[in-house]
């Protein structure tokens, strides 16, 4: 006998490349382990993937009817929208979805709070669309403290706002010898290797990392880029990526572009690198899946300070990761040089990172979702 069904609605899903798609797949797996039946409505490019029950060729005003049909076909008791501003082809149909599918409760996970682009000079209407989306939901989930604080300013969300973190989109490292992993993936073992993991978007600060590494004396560390490119739903960073590609070719440091790796290989690589450096321009956040993945894999991580350090709780500077001011290549260079010269400090960071990553356990994340689902269904039954 199957358990209760939830319809997960997402603009991307594996094999499409994107952090929200990976998150949704891991959430679906964790829900299934705890007796729920996940069904996914997503882009046609993910047709045939596990849990995908319905697909959409083009996001548009027929979204509500597609969602209603998928809910009927799967017997879903409630709907769970994975919202990312740049997904769903930037179509505003997703922002009014709660008002058009009232037959079942709909809750929303906000993966970011950026205002959607509509048309030139849209002005306040852009941010109003996200507010409209949140206010129409049965519940709102923020994945990080800063987004929670921003959403909390809306008094209409009181009692419906919840904070549930994301987890790593990679498995545990296999325990393979780091030197063997590096040789197999083309990373030198006779010089320091500094890694970056994720998409090559402007907010990730890869160009700042290049400046920092180029300021170091020879022999400079190799820069290892795992992942790279852009998410399939990213329509904003093509120009930056083109410029960065040229910059990487001309860089005064060895650049090793590994590209996409199977999840197990990616986990083993992060574990094998001397450092993983994630110089987010706006500061690190618990919304960054690459940060959570690097910590869970036991990497020694250098990243950038958020506006408020408590936004990274339970992670602490110089204990679980090493923080530098955002947008400061010299501070980045100094941190990299300090840690590359201190193996014991790197090992302390590795051990603490893996312990702290337990706060982002997928089974606990799924348990908290199920608790919320059941509360929503219970309230609806009493109406």
């Amino acid at each position: 006998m199957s358990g209760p069904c939830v319809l997960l609605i997402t603009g991307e899903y594996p094999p499409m490349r994107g952090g929200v798609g990976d998150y949704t797949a891991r959430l679906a797996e964790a829900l299934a382990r705890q007796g729920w039946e996940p069904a996914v409505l997503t882009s046609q490019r993910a047709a045939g993937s596990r849990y995908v029950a319905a697909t959409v060729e083009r996001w548009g005003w027929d979204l509500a009817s597609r969602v209603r049909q998928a809910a009927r076909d799967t017997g879903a008791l409630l709907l769970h929208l994975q919202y990312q501003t740049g997904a769903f082809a930037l179509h505003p149909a997703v922002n009014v979805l709660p008002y058009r599918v009232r037959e079942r409760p709909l809750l929303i996970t906000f993966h970011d709070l950026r205002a959607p682009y509509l048309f030139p000079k849209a002005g306040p209407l852009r941010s109003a669309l996200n507010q409209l989306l949140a206010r129409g939901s049965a519940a709102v989930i923020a994945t990080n403290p800063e987004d929670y604080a921003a959403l909390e300013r809306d008094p209409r969300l009181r009692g419906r706002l919840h904070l549930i973190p994301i987890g790593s989109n990679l498995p545990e490292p296999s325990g393979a010898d780091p030197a063997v992993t590096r040789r197999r993936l083309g990373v030198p073992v006779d010089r320091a290797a500094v890694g970056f993991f994720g998409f090559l978007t402007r907010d990730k600060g890869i160009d700042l990392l290049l400046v920092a590494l180029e300021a170091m004396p020879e022999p400079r560390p190799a820069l290892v880029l795992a992942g790279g490119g852009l998410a399939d739903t990213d329509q904003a960073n093509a120009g930056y990526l083109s410029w960065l590609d040229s910059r990487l070719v001309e860089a005064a440091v060895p650049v090793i572009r590994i590209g996409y790796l199977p999840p197990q290989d990616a986990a083993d690589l992060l574990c094998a690198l001397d450092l993983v450096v994630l110089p987010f321009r706006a500061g690190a956040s618990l919304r960054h899946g690459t940060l959570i993945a690097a910590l869970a894999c036991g990497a020694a991580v250098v990243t950038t300070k958020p506006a408020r350090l408590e936004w990274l709780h339970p992670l602490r500077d110089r204990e679980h990761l090493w923080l530098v001011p955002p947008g400061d290549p010299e501070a980045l260079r100094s941190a990299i040089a300090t840690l590359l010269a201190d193996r014991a400090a790197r090992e302390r960071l590795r051990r603490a990172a893996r312990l702290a990553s337990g706060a982002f356990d997928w089974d606990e994340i799924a348990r908290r979702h199920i608790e919320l689902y059941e509360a929503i269904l219970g309230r609806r039954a009493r109406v």
Side-chain angles (χ1 to χ4, degrees):
M1 181 176 178
S2 61
C5 179
V6 56
L7 181 67
L8 304 173
I9 306 161
T10 176
E12 62 188 33
Y13 194 77
M16 297 172 67
R17 302 200 321 159
V20 175
D22 289 341
Y23 165 93
T24 307
R26 295 299 297 269
L27 176 60
E29 291 168 358
L31 290 171
R33 286 196 297 272
Q34 297 193 37
W36 273 65
E37 184 180 345
V40 176
L41 184 150
T42 189
S43 169
Q44 192 175 54
R45 287 181 283 176
S49 294
R50 191 178 189 192
Y51 301 122
V52 171
T55 61
V56 174
E57 182 176 0
R58 182 178 303 169
W59 302 105
W61 289 116
D62 64 344
L63 174 61
S65 62
R66 297 295 187 95
V67 169
R68 286 193 294 267
Q69 184 62 54
R72 287 193 295 269
D73 291 344
T74 60
L77 299 180
L78 73 169
L79 315 171
H80 189 171
L81 174 65
Q82 306 298 323
Y83 182 75
Q84 181 184 34
T85 302
F88 303 100
L90 300 173
H91 199 286
V94 70
N95 298 86
V96 299
L97 187 60
Y99 305 92
R100 302 185 65 202
V101 291
R102 295 184 182 274
E103 301 90 343
R104 291 169 178 81
L106 182 145
L107 65 156
I108 299 156
T109 295
F110 277 94
H111 291 274
D112 66 55
L113 295 180
R114 291 175 295 176
Y117 176 80
L118 297 173
F119 49 83
K121 301 182 181 179
L125 179 59
R126 297 174 62 209
S127 57
L129 274 180
N130 281 353
Q131 191 176 61
L132 184 72
L133 176 62
R135 289 177 176 178
S137 68
V140 173
I141 297 172
T143 65
N144 57 88
E146 62 267 40
D147 285 353
Y148 182 92
L151 289 162
E152 195 176 31
R153 290 196 287 268
D154 186 344
R156 299 192 192 184
L157 299 184
R158 286 177 188 155
R160 292 189 289 128
L161 182 58
H162 306 266
L163 177 60
I164 304 179
I166 68 172
S168 171
N169 60 359
L170 295 179
E172 288 275 327
S174 68
D177 183 282
V180 172
T181 296
R182 285 169 66 146
R183 289 192 189 96
R184 179 168 60 83
L185 297 175
V187 178
V189 295
D190 56 352
R191 75 187 299 158
V194 170
F196 172 87
F197 174 53
F199 295 118
L200 302 180
T201 54
R202 187 180 185 281
D203 61 300
K204 304 294 179 60
I206 306 95
D207 52 305
L208 303 176
L209 176 55
L210 276 173
V211 172
L213 293 176
E214 289 174 333
M216 299 181 73
E218 291 283 9
R220 299 183 180 102
L223 173 59
V224 180
L225 300 177
L230 299 177
D232 285 345
T233 56
D234 189 342
Q235 302 180 34
N237 280 285
Y240 174 80
L241 179 59
S242 178
W243 171 83
L244 183 64
D245 283 338
S246 299
R247 177 74 174 84
L248 289 168
V249 170
E250 299 166 358
V253 296
V255 177
I256 302 168
R257 301 187 69 165
I258 293 182
Y260 173 80
L261 286 171
Q264 189 63 68
D265 284 347
D268 290 346
L269 175 62
L270 293 177
C271 185
L273 294 168
D274 296 289
L275 289 174
V276 172
V277 182
L278 303 170
F280 303 106
R281 273 189 158 84
S285 168
L286 297 184
R287 78 163 68 91
H288 293 136
T290 51
L291 172 61
I292 304 301
L295 294 169
C297 291
V301 175
V302 177
T303 187
T304 48
K305 292 179 182 176
R308 295 169 58 178
L309 287 177
E310 60 264 32
W311 286 349
L312 289 181
H313 179 79
L315 306 176
R316 291 188 291 274
D317 186 19
R318 309 296 170 97
E319 181 177 345
H320 305 107
L321 71 182
W322 195 286
L323 297 175
V324 300
D328 188 339
E330 173 53 27
L332 201 58
R333 181 208 63 77
S334 177
I336 293 169
T338 297
L339 287 169
L340 288 180
D342 190 342
R343 183 184 182 91
R346 298 199 306 274
E347 290 306 312
R348 285 196 298 272
L349 288 175
R350 290 179 187 278
R351 288 193 297 271
R354 298 198 76 171
L355 289 173
S357 67
F360 312 102
D361 175 72
W362 275 111
D363 285 332
E364 174 61 15
I365 290 168
R367 186 197 65 77
R368 292 174 63 182
H369 276 83
I370 291 169
E371 188 177 78
L372 179 55
Y373 293 166
E374 291 175 343
I376 291 170
L377 292 172
R379 287 198 302 267
R380 192 173 180 88
R382 291 191 295 270
V383 173

